Coordinates of all heavy atoms in Angstrom, one line a residue:
G1 N 118.8 73.8 -3.5 CA 120.2 73.4 -3.7 C 121.0 73.3 -2.4 O 120.5 73.7 -1.3
S2 N 122.1 72.6 -2.5 CA 123.0 72.6 -1.3 C 124.4 72.4 -1.7 O 124.7 71.9 -2.8 CB 122.6 71.4 -0.4 OG 123.1 70.2 -0.9
V3 N 125.3 72.9 -0.9 CA 126.8 72.8 -1.1 C 127.4 72.4 0.3 O 126.8 72.8 1.3 CB 127.4 74.1 -1.6 CG1 126.9 74.4 -3.0 CG2 127.2 75.3 -0.7
K4 N 128.5 71.7 0.2 CA 129.2 71.3 1.4 C 130.6 71.6 1.3 O 131.2 71.5 0.2 CB 129.0 69.8 1.7 CG 129.6 69.2 3.0 CD 129.4 67.7 3.1 CE 127.9 67.4 3.3 NZ 127.7 65.9 3.6
G5 N 131.3 72.0 2.4 CA 132.7 72.3 2.3 C 133.2 72.8 3.7 O 132.4 72.9 4.7
L6 N 134.4 73.3 3.7 CA 135.0 73.8 4.9 C 134.8 75.3 5.0 O 135.0 76.0 4.0 CB 136.6 73.6 4.9 CG 137.0 72.1 5.0 CD1 138.5 72.0 4.9 CD2 136.6 71.5 6.3
N7 N 134.4 75.8 6.2 CA 134.2 77.2 6.4 C 135.6 77.8 6.8 O 136.6 77.1 6.7 CB 133.1 77.5 7.4 CG 133.5 77.0 8.8 OD1 134.6 76.6 9.1 ND2 132.5 76.9 9.7
T8 N 135.6 79.1 7.1 CA 136.8 79.8 7.4 C 137.5 79.3 8.7 O 138.7 79.5 8.9 CB 136.6 81.3 7.5 OG1 135.6 81.5 8.4 CG2 136.2 81.9 6.1
N9 N 136.8 78.5 9.5 CA 137.3 77.9 10.7 C 137.7 76.4 10.5 O 137.9 75.7 11.5 CB 136.3 78.0 11.9 CG 136.1 79.4 12.3 OD1 137.0 80.3 12.3 ND2 134.8 79.8 12.6
N10 N 137.7 76.0 9.2 CA 138.1 74.6 8.9 C 137.1 73.6 9.4 O 137.4 72.5 9.8 CB 139.5 74.3 9.3 CG 140.5 74.9 8.4 OD1 140.3 74.9 7.2 ND2 141.6 75.3 8.9
E11 N 135.8 74.0 9.6 CA 134.7 73.1 10.0 C 133.9 72.8 8.8 O 133.6 73.6 7.9 CB 133.8 73.8 11.0 CG 134.6 74.3 12.3 CD 133.7 75.2 13.1 OE1 133.2 76.2 12.6 OE2 133.5 74.9 14.3
I12 N 133.5 71.5 8.7 CA 132.6 71.1 7.6 C 131.2 71.6 7.8 O 130.6 71.3 8.9 CB 132.6 69.5 7.5 CG1 134.0 69.0 7.1 CG2 131.6 69.1 6.4 CD1 134.2 67.5 7.0
S13 N 130.7 72.2 6.8 CA 129.3 72.7 6.9 C 128.6 72.4 5.6 O 129.2 72.3 4.5 CB 129.3 74.2 7.2 OG 128.0 74.7 7.3
E14 N 127.3 72.2 5.7 CA 126.4 72.1 4.5 C 125.4 73.2 4.6 O 124.8 73.4 5.6 CB 125.8 70.7 4.5 CG 125.0 70.5 3.2 CD 124.5 69.1 3.0 OE1 124.5 68.3 3.9 OE2 124.0 68.8 1.9
V15 N 125.2 73.9 3.4 CA 124.3 75.0 3.3 C 123.2 74.6 2.3 O 123.4 74.0 1.3 CB 125.0 76.2 2.8 CG1 124.0 77.4 2.8 CG2 126.2 76.6 3.7
F16 N 121.9 74.9 2.7 CA 120.8 74.7 1.8 C 120.2 76.0 1.4 O 120.1 77.0 2.2 CB 119.7 73.8 2.6 CG 120.2 72.4 2.9 CD1 120.9 72.2 4.1 CD2 119.9 71.4 2.0 CE1 121.3 70.9 4.3 CE2 120.4 70.1 2.3 CZ 121.1 69.9 3.5
F17 N 119.7 76.1 0.2 CA 119.2 77.4 -0.3 C 118.3 77.1 -1.5 O 118.2 76.0 -2.1 CB 120.4 78.2 -0.8 CG 121.4 77.5 -1.6 CD1 121.3 77.3 -3.0 CD2 122.5 76.9 -1.0 CE1 122.2 76.6 -3.7 CE2 123.4 76.2 -1.7 CZ 123.3 76.1 -3.1
L18 N 117.4 78.1 -1.8 CA 116.6 78.1 -3.0 C 117.4 78.7 -4.1 O 117.9 79.8 -4.0 CB 115.3 78.9 -2.7 CG 114.3 78.3 -1.7 CD1 113.2 79.3 -1.4 CD2 113.8 76.9 -2.1
V19 N 117.5 78.0 -5.2 CA 118.2 78.5 -6.4 C 117.2 79.4 -7.2 O 116.1 79.0 -7.5 CB 118.7 77.3 -7.3 CG1 119.4 77.8 -8.5 CG2 119.6 76.4 -6.5
I20 N 117.7 80.6 -7.5 CA 116.8 81.6 -8.1 C 117.3 82.0 -9.5 O 118.5 82.1 -9.7 CB 116.8 82.9 -7.2 CG1 116.3 82.5 -5.8 CG2 116.0 84.0 -7.8 CD1 114.9 82.0 -5.7
R21 N 116.4 82.2 -10.4 CA 116.7 82.8 -11.7 C 115.8 84.1 -11.8 O 114.6 84.1 -11.5 CB 116.4 81.9 -12.8 CG 116.7 82.5 -14.2 CD 116.5 81.5 -15.3 NE 115.2 80.9 -15.3 CZ 114.9 79.7 -15.9 NH1 115.9 79.0 -16.5 NH2 113.7 79.2 -15.8
S22 N 116.5 85.2 -12.2 CA 115.7 86.5 -12.3 C 116.4 87.4 -13.3 O 117.5 87.9 -13.1 CB 115.6 87.2 -11.0 OG 115.0 88.4 -11.1
R23 N 115.7 87.7 -14.4 CA 116.2 88.7 -15.3 C 116.2 90.1 -14.7 O 117.0 90.9 -15.0 CB 115.3 88.7 -16.6 CG 115.5 87.4 -17.4 CD 114.5 87.4 -18.6 NE 114.7 88.5 -19.5 CZ 113.9 88.8 -20.5 NH1 112.8 88.0 -20.7 NH2 114.2 89.7 -21.4
G24 N 115.1 90.3 -13.9 CA 115.0 91.7 -13.3 C 116.1 92.0 -12.3 O 116.7 93.1 -12.3
L25 N 116.5 91.0 -11.4 CA 117.6 91.2 -10.5 C 118.9 91.3 -11.2 O 119.8 92.1 -10.8 CB 117.6 90.1 -9.4 CG 116.4 90.0 -8.6 CD1 116.5 88.8 -7.6 CD2 116.1 91.3 -7.8
R26 N 119.1 90.6 -12.3 CA 120.3 90.7 -13.1 C 120.4 92.1 -13.7 O 121.5 92.7 -13.8 CB 120.3 89.6 -14.2 CG 121.6 89.6 -15.0 CD 122.8 89.0 -14.2 NE 122.5 87.7 -13.8 CZ 123.2 87.0 -12.8 NH1 124.2 87.7 -12.3 NH2 122.9 85.8 -12.5
A27 N 119.2 92.6 -14.2 CA 119.2 93.9 -14.8 C 119.5 95.0 -13.7 O 120.1 96.0 -14.1 CB 117.8 94.2 -15.4
I28 N 119.2 94.8 -12.5 CA 119.5 95.8 -11.4 C 121.1 95.9 -11.3 O 121.6 97.0 -11.2 CB 118.9 95.3 -10.1 CG1 117.4 95.6 -10.1 CG2 119.6 96.1 -8.9 CD1 117.0 97.0 -10.0
R29 N 121.7 94.7 -11.4 CA 123.2 94.7 -11.3 C 123.8 95.5 -12.5 O 124.8 96.2 -12.4 CB 123.7 93.3 -11.2 CG 123.5 92.6 -9.9 CD 123.8 91.1 -9.9 NE 125.2 90.9 -10.2 CZ 126.2 90.9 -9.2 NH1 125.9 91.1 -8.0 NH2 127.4 90.6 -9.6
K30 N 123.2 95.2 -13.7 CA 123.7 95.9 -14.9 C 123.4 97.4 -14.8 O 124.3 98.2 -15.2 CB 123.0 95.3 -16.1 CG 123.3 93.9 -16.4 CD 122.6 93.4 -17.6 CE 122.9 92.0 -18.0 NZ 122.2 91.5 -19.2
L31 N 122.3 97.8 -14.2 CA 122.0 99.2 -14.0 C 123.0 99.9 -13.1 O 123.5 101.0 -13.4 CB 120.6 99.4 -13.5 CG 120.1 100.8 -13.1 CD1 120.2 101.7 -14.4 CD2 118.7 100.8 -12.6
I32 N 123.4 99.2 -12.0 CA 124.4 99.8 -11.1 C 125.7 100.0 -11.8 O 126.3 101.0 -11.7 CB 124.5 98.9 -9.9 CG1 123.3 98.9 -9.0 CG2 125.8 99.3 -9.0 CD1 123.3 97.8 -7.9
A33 N 126.1 99.0 -12.6 CA 127.4 99.1 -13.3 C 127.3 100.2 -14.4 O 128.3 101.0 -14.5 CB 127.7 97.8 -14.0
A34 N 126.1 100.4 -15.1 CA 126.0 101.4 -16.1 C 125.9 102.8 -15.5 O 126.5 103.7 -16.1 CB 124.8 101.1 -16.9
E35 N 125.3 102.9 -14.4 CA 125.1 104.2 -13.8 C 126.4 104.9 -13.4 O 126.5 106.1 -13.6 CB 124.2 104.1 -12.5 CG 124.0 105.4 -11.7 CD 123.1 106.4 -12.4 OE1 122.5 106.0 -13.4 OE2 123.1 107.5 -11.9
W36 N 127.4 104.2 -13.0 CA 128.7 104.7 -12.6 C 129.8 104.3 -13.5 O 131.0 104.5 -13.2 CB 129.0 104.4 -11.2 CG 128.1 105.1 -10.2 CD1 128.2 106.4 -9.8 CD2 127.0 104.6 -9.5 NE1 127.3 106.8 -8.9 CE2 126.5 105.7 -8.7 CE3 126.3 103.4 -9.4 CZ2 125.4 105.6 -7.8 CZ3 125.2 103.3 -8.6 CH2 124.7 104.3 -7.8
S37 N 129.4 103.6 -14.6 CA 130.5 103.1 -15.6 C 131.5 102.3 -14.9 O 132.7 102.5 -15.1 CB 131.1 104.3 -16.3 OG 130.1 105.1 -17.0
I38 N 131.1 101.4 -14.1 CA 132.0 100.5 -13.4 C 132.6 99.4 -14.3 O 131.8 98.7 -14.9 CB 131.3 99.9 -12.2 CG1 130.6 100.9 -11.3 CG2 132.2 99.0 -11.3 CD1 129.7 100.3 -10.2
P39 N 133.9 99.3 -14.4 CA 134.4 98.3 -15.3 C 134.2 96.9 -14.7 O 134.1 96.7 -13.5 CB 135.9 98.7 -15.3 CG 136.2 99.4 -14.1 CD 134.9 100.2 -13.8

């Protein structure tokens, strides 16, 4: 994937990345929220 836009210095930049899907990594975020009852 890629996105293009202005950074915090008002410079145009394009970023490239691998788009990821993961039930396990999502579950880690849910576990962190559940462990401390974070709203």
Side-chain angles (χ1 to χ4, degrees):
S2 79
V3 293
K4 185 182 292 186
L6 293 176
N7 63 17
T8 54
N9 294 323
N10 284 323
E11 301 168 305
I12 296 178
S13 184
E14 185 171 13
V15 183
F16 295 86
F17 45 86
L18 295 172
V19 178
I20 302 298
R21 179 173 58 200
S22 174
R23 292 173 63 186
L25 297 180
R26 186 71 61 195
I28 288 290
R29 289 172 61 86
K30 292 179 180 179
L31 175 58
I32 292 170
E35 175 71 11
W36 289 283
S37 301
I38 305 172

